[in-house]
Amino acid sequence: MHLTVAITGASGAILGRELLRALEADERVTRVHFVASENSLRVLAEELGVSGRNDVVEKLLSSKIKKIIQHADADIGAAIASGSHPSNGMIILPCSMGTLAAIALGLADSLIARAADVTLKERRPLILCVRETPFNRIHLRNMTLAAEAGATIFPCIPAFYNHPEGPEEMARQFAYRVLAHLGLQQPGAYVWKAEEQGPGTRD
Ligand SMILES: Cc1cc2nc3c(=O)[nH]c(=O)nc-3n(C[C@H](O)[C@H](O)[C@H](O)COP(=O)(O)O)c2cc1C
């Protein structure tokens, strides 16, 4: 699988980090194109103490990476800006209200907004992990517009019924739910009443 992942300037950078960690480890995924919005860099610094705009994934995962390529959000000529580039979908985690608005209105004025626009026009999965609280009517309308265009609105709302040990486990399980939505079930993902669903579902 080839996927595109973007992090934008909403709260919840830890969720994006756990998603990238799972994708780097998943052998079914051969290439990840990654974009961090300019404003996400501020949130990454605030929430995870990661600074600078280069090598963001190495810094986030504290290790060398094999398959994740980072693009600048201003690089409107990157491969993922074209529908001719093969891709199995795009995840924006977390997705700010600003980026949601750009996608809902088809602005395509940054690499993230353009790649999302391309994902929709090519009828590929686009998962928008929106994060804000409370929502105003503009947010709600934009979510409807994006959903009507084919996006999945996957709000950053973690589960509690799996009794997560702390924020990291909560973030990891949320990232696993996002990946399961794309058919990438993860080992260690919590499954409600797995014993009732037969062998192979406990993880
Ligand atoms: C610490 C911090 C937390 C933020 N949290 C959110 C949030 O949860 N949701 C949101 O829509 N914007 C949030 N913002 C504001 C966005 O970063 C801002 O609207 C920005 O313009 C979004 O740009 P981007 O979508 O290009 O990343 C936050 C900003 C900061 C500095």
Side-chain angles (χ1 to χ4, degrees), residues 6-13 34-48 50-53 56 70-74 92-100 102 109-112:
I7 291 184
T8 67
S11 185
F34 170 73
V35 193
S37 75
E38 206 50 34
N39 293 317
S40 77
L41 302 175
R42 171 71 195 275
V43 183
L44 287 172
E46 291 281 344
E47 296 189 342
L48 299 177
V50 166
S51 55
R53 56 175 55 76
V56 169
Q70 185 180 346
H71 305 279
D73 199 18
I92 307 185
L93 173 56
C95 180
S96 74
M97 294 302 102
T99 292
L100 168 70
D109 57 349
S110 64
L111 182 57
I112 293 174

